[in-house]
Amino acid sequence: MPELPEVETVKRTLNVNLKNKNYIINNVIINFPKIIKDIELNNFKEKLIGQTIKEVDRVGKHLLFVLNDYILISHLRMEGKYFFTNNRDEIKNKKHVLVEFELSDNNFLFYYDTRRFGTMHLGNYQNFYNLKPLTKLAAEPWDIDENWFIDKVNKSRKAIKTIILDQHVVAGIGNIYADEILFKSKINPQERGNNLTKTEILRILENSKIILNQSIDMGGTTIKSFSAGKQISSTFQKWLMVHTKKDQPCPKCKNIILKTKVNGRGTYWCDHCQKLKK
Ligand SMILES: [Zn+2]
């Protein structure tokens, strides 16, 4: 699943092609109606046609296409991808193209999704923040109120990994990054929130920013089938310290990296560097 750094990379890549180009949406072809949420299909199409794409923004893992009157909120979920092209036939197998945007100057923006879990919501400038996909989203590590975060973690008896994966607590940390953040913070993923000190919680927050920034700089991870666009290749996965490194030596202490499940999510850690507290 693309995580925040990947979605940020997709956003940046799309902006290279879309920002300030003022492409007008001339037509919208919906090949898989289920992806469009909470709005009638014809209404969705009617509203989009004639709109100019200003730029692409991001909130959490949601892409926001900023149009002159509307905001199109797109969530890639498991496998969603965008392709921008001036050659309609560039994608040979159209089976997985769920939505086609025909743009001015003979350009096309294709939404491609083999798993078909992606979603699109349409809002306007006044209401988009109150639409379903965005309402319950917490702040990202850069914007979060530190005291609120410390309090939230300290009041929880859940494993710290589960807490930082909860998008209602902090937005944008996915499974891969949670493992890397906790390794860097020397915190056991199964440690309970109420067992952590203020200093440790702030360290986790600080390392969240570092790890996510590092990954954004490198263009996301591409562990499964994430693709940011034709031009971008990701190097972050080469820099993973623990995630996917089961049975390999810990880069810090050479002990063997272990794998377990925390709340159902595959979790990698070093039992020596990330000791469970007594
Ligand atoms: Zn270690």
Side-chain angles (χ1 to χ4, degrees), residues 118-135:
T119 59
M120 288 185 192
H121 288 79
L122 191 65
N124 57 39
Y125 285 48
Q126 285 76 40
N127 75 1
F128 79 96
Y129 244 94
N130 298 319
L131 293 186
K132 218 188 268 164
L134 302 185
T135 37

Side-chain angles (χ1 to χ4, degrees), residues 103-221:
L103 308 180
S104 48
D105 300 336
N106 219 18
N107 291 299
F108 300 89
L109 183 65
F110 294 122
Y111 177 72
Y112 182 97
D113 190 344
T114 52
R115 302 286 299 276
R116 306 187 166 210
F117 287 132
T119 59
M120 288 185 192
H121 288 79
L122 191 65
N124 57 39
Y125 285 48
Q126 285 76 40
N127 75 1
F128 79 96
Y129 244 94
N130 298 319
L131 293 186
K132 218 188 268 164
L134 302 185
T135 37
K136 284 187 176 159
L137 222 52
E140 294 175 7
W142 298 276
D143 315 314
I144 210 163
D145 181 89
E146 288 182 355
N147 290 324
W148 180 89
F149 184 67
I150 290 167
D151 192 53
K152 198 86 184 160
V153 173
N154 269 160
K155 280 190 174 142
S156 175
R157 292 178 54 77
K158 289 181 186 161
I160 182 63
K161 176 163 177 182
T162 306
I163 300 173
I164 62 173
L165 281 177
D166 183 349
Q167 302 296 308
H168 305 324
V169 176
V170 52
I173 299 176
N175 197 39
I176 300 166
Y177 301 102
D179 284 357
E180 295 300 317
I181 289 162
L182 293 173
F183 177 72
K184 195 172 170 62
S185 306
K186 302 190 173 72
I187 303 288
N188 190 293
Q190 314 218 46
E191 196 70 67
R192 289 170 188 270
N194 60 357
N195 214 14
L196 290 169
T197 64
K198 263 188 187 184
T199 316
E200 288 168 331
I201 298 169
L202 287 177
R203 194 158 79 217
I204 291 169
L205 195 57
E206 207 41 51
N207 286 328
S208 302
K209 295 179 215 171
I210 293 171
I211 294 282
L212 291 176
N213 274 333
Q214 202 179 341
S215 179
I216 290 167
D217 289 345
M218 291 174 187
T221 38

Side-chain angles (χ1 to χ4, degrees), residues 183 250 252-255 270 272-273:
F183 177 72
C250 165
K252 293 233 168 83
C253 74
K254 307 296 175 215
N255 271 31
C270 170
H272 183 255
C273 296

Side-chain angles (χ1 to χ4, degrees), residues 38-152:
D38 302 335
I39 183 168
E40 200 257 326
L41 280 194
N42 282 333
N43 199 3
F44 179 82
K45 272 178 76 164
E46 246 169 53
K47 283 183 166 161
L48 285 181
I49 292 172
Q51 291 286 311
T52 302
I53 302 178
K54 305 276 186 201
E55 63 173 316
V56 184
D57 212 332
R58 179 187 63 74
V59 174
K61 299 185 201 172
H62 302 267
L63 291 168
L64 308 181
F65 289 84
V66 181
L67 314 171
N68 30 356
D69 298 315
Y70 301 103
I71 308 279
L72 175 64
I73 306 167
S74 165
H75 196 324
L76 306 171
R77 298 290 297 277
M78 303 299 280
E79 302 279 339
K81 296 176 179 67
Y82 277 98
F83 291 97
F84 177 86
T85 175
N86 53 15
N87 175 9
R88 164 162 237 154
D89 300 320
E90 190 178 303
I91 297 183
K92 296 281 182 295
N93 184 358
K94 284 269 173 63
K95 200 173 100 188
H96 300 300
V97 175
L98 308 191
V99 184
E100 307 176 31
F101 299 92
E102 297 178 5
L103 308 180
S104 48
D105 300 336
N106 219 18
N107 291 299
F108 300 89
L109 183 65
F110 294 122
Y111 177 72
Y112 182 97
D113 190 344
T114 52
R115 302 286 299 276
R116 306 187 166 210
F117 287 132
T119 59
M120 288 185 192
H121 288 79
L122 191 65
N124 57 39
Y125 285 48
Q126 285 76 40
N127 75 1
F128 79 96
Y129 244 94
N130 298 319
L131 293 186
K132 218 188 268 164
L134 302 185
T135 37
K136 284 187 176 159
L137 222 52
E140 294 175 7
W142 298 276
D143 315 314
I144 210 163
D145 181 89
E146 288 182 355
N147 290 324
W148 180 89
F149 184 67
I150 290 167
D151 192 53
K152 198 86 184 160

Side-chain angles (χ1 to χ4, degrees), residues 252-263:
K252 293 233 168 83
C253 74
K254 307 296 175 215
N255 271 31
I256 295 300
I257 301 289
L258 305 174
K259 183 184 182 189
T260 186
K261 287 214 162 155
V262 176
N263 199 22

